[in-house]
Amino acid sequence: MNEILTEVSNFLWGWPMIILLLGTHIFLTIRLRFPQRHIFKAVRLSFKHDRNAEGDVSQFASLATALAATIGTGNIIGVATAIALGGPGAVLWCWLTGVFGISTKYAEGLLAIKYRQKTPSGKMLGGPMYALEKGLGWKWLAILFALFTAIAAFGIGNTVQANAIATVVSESYGISPVFSGAFICLMTAAVVLGGVKSIARVCSMLVPFMAALYVLGCLYILIVNAAYLWPALCLIVKAAFSPEAAGGGFIGSTVMMAARFGIARGLFSNESGMGSAPIVAAAAQTRNPVRQALVSSSGTFWDTVVICALTGLVIVSSVLAYPDIDFSNGATLTKDAFTKIPVVGRPLLTFGLLTFAFSTILGWCYYGERAVEYLKGRRWVLGYRVLYIIAVFAGAVMNLAVVWNLADCMNALMAIPNLISLLFLNGVIVRETSSYLWRARTLHHR
């Protein structure tokens, strides 16, 4: 089964998917007149609270929950894997993917607010399944998206993150995965059983703290590696376009390999186009769709343009500074690069992996719950939460080769219906953007 899933995953995440995703990023960037130029306005809006607007949580809490699910082990381990397979040039391709992905995340957030619906209890529900059903009338495709989301949450959002935490704790401190798994399980239960407001509250506190500390740690490492920072930047740019540019301990890679693994890792890391983030964007207290669209787009900026780029620079500069690092092994490359830095290297890596992975568990629980609620109604949500909590423990103690590949397949299958909704509803996205952003009308307008 693992071999079959591996083949399916390789096919789904091959060049057709990369072209579809990156093509959508570029198409929406041009169609929406480069919304990236509004990124600093988006960041400012994310810290404002529309108290009189409809929604379950603040715009910042919505963004924090989305970032919690997005910023995971892929930002640390995934970047190293891309560098190991595609060479240092993969870092630039990963970064460019994040820049263009801002447009797609913007479009997803807009549709999430445009087609969200209020339950009798006053709660807001939305996401690609509602855009597919209400915007295009394709309920069958909406059901498929929700089904893929509910399954995917157990993979990339749950078991693989719990396994990453248990592995780090075991290797660093010798604690059995049974004990660490039980602890993570209890921590997850304490948060997710409280529902969206509990998840959003914890993520709002955890995400800024963990991201800021990780960014500061990376900046410190880059200062330590200051003599190699400019050579690392030059190598990343040159290797992205010239297979002969790799050096300093790196193995040369083709331009196609650098582009493939850099783009794939960027797409997988920031989840722009996957359709997960708009599920929580729909819960935001916001006055109009464009306002939340801008806030959502800032998530890709922080995830890929900032955090993934810093991780890539740390790894490449460390390999240049310490030639004994094994560049060919993506699984150990990050650990080797970070642990070469005295005092802060190992604690920073451990802290980053632990907090990033735990926050991903929380964020994806919300995604899975909303998918189940769309499929079967509110009465099934509690049962899903219980299964999700149990899966956290299982993930910490089991071999996840099959789960990884199954998760990859589900994530790709989520992206396809979501991209269809973005492409077919691009006219709606343009009209809303024109109404609130291009016609000199204030974003404060309802």
Side-chain angles (χ1 to χ4, degrees), residues 70-110:
T70 305
I71 301 176
T73 54
N75 295 80
I76 302 177
I77 305 298
V79 173
T81 303
I83 295 172
L85 296 173
V91 177
L92 180 62
W93 289 107
C94 179
W95 186 81
L96 288 173
T97 301
V99 171
F100 285 107
I102 289 172
S103 299
T104 302
K105 191 64 71 74
Y106 169 93
E108 290 177 322
L110 191 152

Side-chain angles (χ1 to χ4, degrees), residues 9-189:
S9 176
N10 289 339
F11 170 75
L12 289 173
W13 283 104
W15 278 110
M17 175 61 75
I18 290 174
I19 291 170
L20 177 62
L21 273 164
L22 190 59
T24 301
H25 290 351
I26 296 172
F27 169 75
L28 290 174
T29 294
I30 297 171
R31 190 84 166 90
L32 297 171
R33 302 181 187 176
F34 293 85
Q36 292 88 343
R37 58 197 172 97
H38 300 291
I39 192 63
F40 295 111
K41 178 186 291 185
V43 172
R44 289 196 302 271
L45 285 174
S46 67
F47 292 99
K48 294 183 178 180
H49 193 173
D50 277 353
R51 297 186 182 277
N52 298 321
E54 289 188 316
D56 302 326
V57 296
S58 68
Q59 288 180 303
F60 178 77
S62 170
L63 174 63
T65 305
L67 280 173
T70 305
I71 301 176
T73 54
N75 295 80
I76 302 177
I77 305 298
V79 173
T81 303
I83 295 172
L85 296 173
V91 177
L92 180 62
W93 289 107
C94 179
W95 186 81
L96 288 173
T97 301
V99 171
F100 285 107
I102 289 172
S103 299
T104 302
K105 191 64 71 74
Y106 169 93
E108 290 177 322
L110 191 152
L111 292 181
I113 300 298
K114 177 70 176 178
Y115 294 109
R116 69 181 178 178
Q117 67 180 39
K118 183 188 291 187
T119 66
S121 62
K123 185 173 62 177
M124 290 295 185
L125 300 177
M129 51 276 205
Y130 294 91
L132 285 164
E133 179 183 352
K134 298 172 67 176
L136 294 174
W138 297 348
K139 187 174 178 62
W140 65 273
L141 197 55
I143 291 173
L144 284 178
F145 174 85
L147 179 63
F148 296 146
T149 302
I151 297 173
F154 283 98
I156 194 62
N158 182 322
T159 52
V160 297
Q161 305 296 334
N163 190 267
I165 294 174
T167 300
V168 170
V169 172
S170 176
E171 292 179 352
S172 301
Y173 306 104
I175 298 175
S176 169
V178 174
F179 294 109
S180 58
F183 180 74
I184 305 163
C185 186
L186 291 174
M187 291 288 289
T188 302

Side-chain angles (χ1 to χ4, degrees), residues 200-285:
R201 185 168 57 251
V202 172
C203 291
S204 295
M205 294 184 293
L206 179 61
V207 169
F209 174 71
M210 73 180 192
L213 193 59
Y214 182 76
V215 167
L216 289 174
C218 286
L219 292 175
Y220 169 79
I221 293 175
L222 292 177
I223 292 173
V224 173
N225 292 344
Y228 300 91
L229 181 56
W230 181 250
L233 282 168
C234 293
L235 179 60
I236 287 170
V237 174
K238 291 178 181 178
F241 303 102
S242 172
E244 291 79 21
F250 288 99
I251 301 170
S253 177
T254 65
V255 174
M256 292 293 284
M257 290 286 282
R260 176 187 173 185
F261 289 105
I263 292 171
R265 178 45 52 199
L267 296 171
F268 197 74
S269 172
N270 61 52
E271 297 182 12
S272 294
M274 192 179 294
S276 51
I279 296 175
V280 70
Q285 295 170 336

Side-chain angles (χ1 to χ4, degrees), residues 171-173 335 338-351:
E171 292 179 352
S172 301
Y173 306 104
K335 184 176 72 173
F338 275 78
T339 53
K340 286 289 185 181
I341 307 302
V343 184
V344 304
R346 185 183 294 273
L348 175 63
L349 179 61
T350 302
F351 172 82

